[in-house]
Amino acid sequence: MAELFDLVGIFVFALTGALMGVRKRLDVVGMAVLAEITALGGGIMRDLVLNVSPVAFQSLGYVLVPLAAATVVFFWHPHVTRVMPLILVLDAAGLGLFCAVGTAKAMEYGLSPLHATLLGVTTGVGGGMLRDVLAGEIPTLLYDRQLYAVPALIGSAAMAGMSWAGLNGWPVALGAAVLTFGLRIAAMRYNWRAPLARGVGE
């Protein structure tokens, strides 16, 4: 079940990467690259920091699912764009899941709660950051105008705190994921924004 949720999150993240490729007028290769890097980049960065073999290279599905998402966008991107609100909701769910799982894994490998929190955020937003860099955009992590990294940080911190207190398992991870998801959805619903430096206009 855990791997199924993982693959669903990977598929949704890959859709956003492939759609970025469409907006940038990239060919099918460029779309596939952005789909793969968006879906898998955060997890690969996490595993490299933990000095373990990346999960993405241990299962064929982790590579094929982003390619399937890129194929869907390649042929039907106008239809995918029309259901973008649903994709954003699923993206928020994927963000919450990836942050919780990434933080939990970091804690299992003996990292401090602070470092585990940072690695959880990396798991959730790292792929999108790499996508933005490759596409020539300001990474969301550096310009959090739609409260994407902030919910990831809060959810990851909650996961690290509960794990440090001895609370582990899927119910705990699910709670942290739901917290991230809820904050991200609220940010989209109420148009919450991270503040700019004092004196800097919108």
Side-chain angles (χ1 to χ4, degrees), residues 6 9-10 13-14 33-57 62 66 94-95 97-103 105-106 116-132 134 141 148 156:
D6 222 10
I10 284 172
F13 278 11
V33 169
L34 288 186
E36 293 280 356
I37 203 69
T38 305
L40 305 177
I44 291 174
M45 291 168 66
R46 174 203 64 211
D47 291 341
L48 290 177
V49 170
L50 294 176
N51 198 29
V52 297
S53 177
V55 175
F57 295 105
Y62 282 80
L95 176 68
L97 177 65
F98 280 25
C99 286
V101 171
T103 304
K105 186 170 183 178
T117 297
L118 295 177
L119 208 51
V121 174
T122 298
T123 306
V125 308
M129 182 177 66
L130 293 173
R131 173 203 63 209
D132 293 342
L134 289 176
L141 187 66
Y148 197 84
S156 296

Side-chain angles (χ1 to χ4, degrees), residues 106-199:
M107 291 294 289
E108 289 174 6
Y109 277 80
L111 270 67
S112 70
L114 174 60
H115 292 106
T117 297
L118 295 177
L119 208 51
V121 174
T122 298
T123 306
V125 308
M129 182 177 66
L130 293 173
R131 173 203 63 209
D132 293 342
V133 169
L134 289 176
E137 298 284 329
I138 299 176
T140 303
L141 187 66
L142 303 180
Y143 189 67
D144 201 5
R145 305 301 292 137
Q146 294 184 334
L147 285 194
Y148 197 84
V150 171
L153 179 63
I154 294 174
S156 296
M159 183 68 215
M162 289 187 288
S163 181
W164 181 74
L167 300 175
N168 295 290
W170 270 105
V172 175
L174 181 61
V178 169
L179 174 61
T180 302
F181 173 78
L183 289 172
R184 172 63 179 147
I185 293 298
M188 292 190 293
R189 173 66 177 81
Y190 298 107
N191 205 35
W192 292 345
R193 296 288 185 267
L196 296 174
R198 184 178 179 180

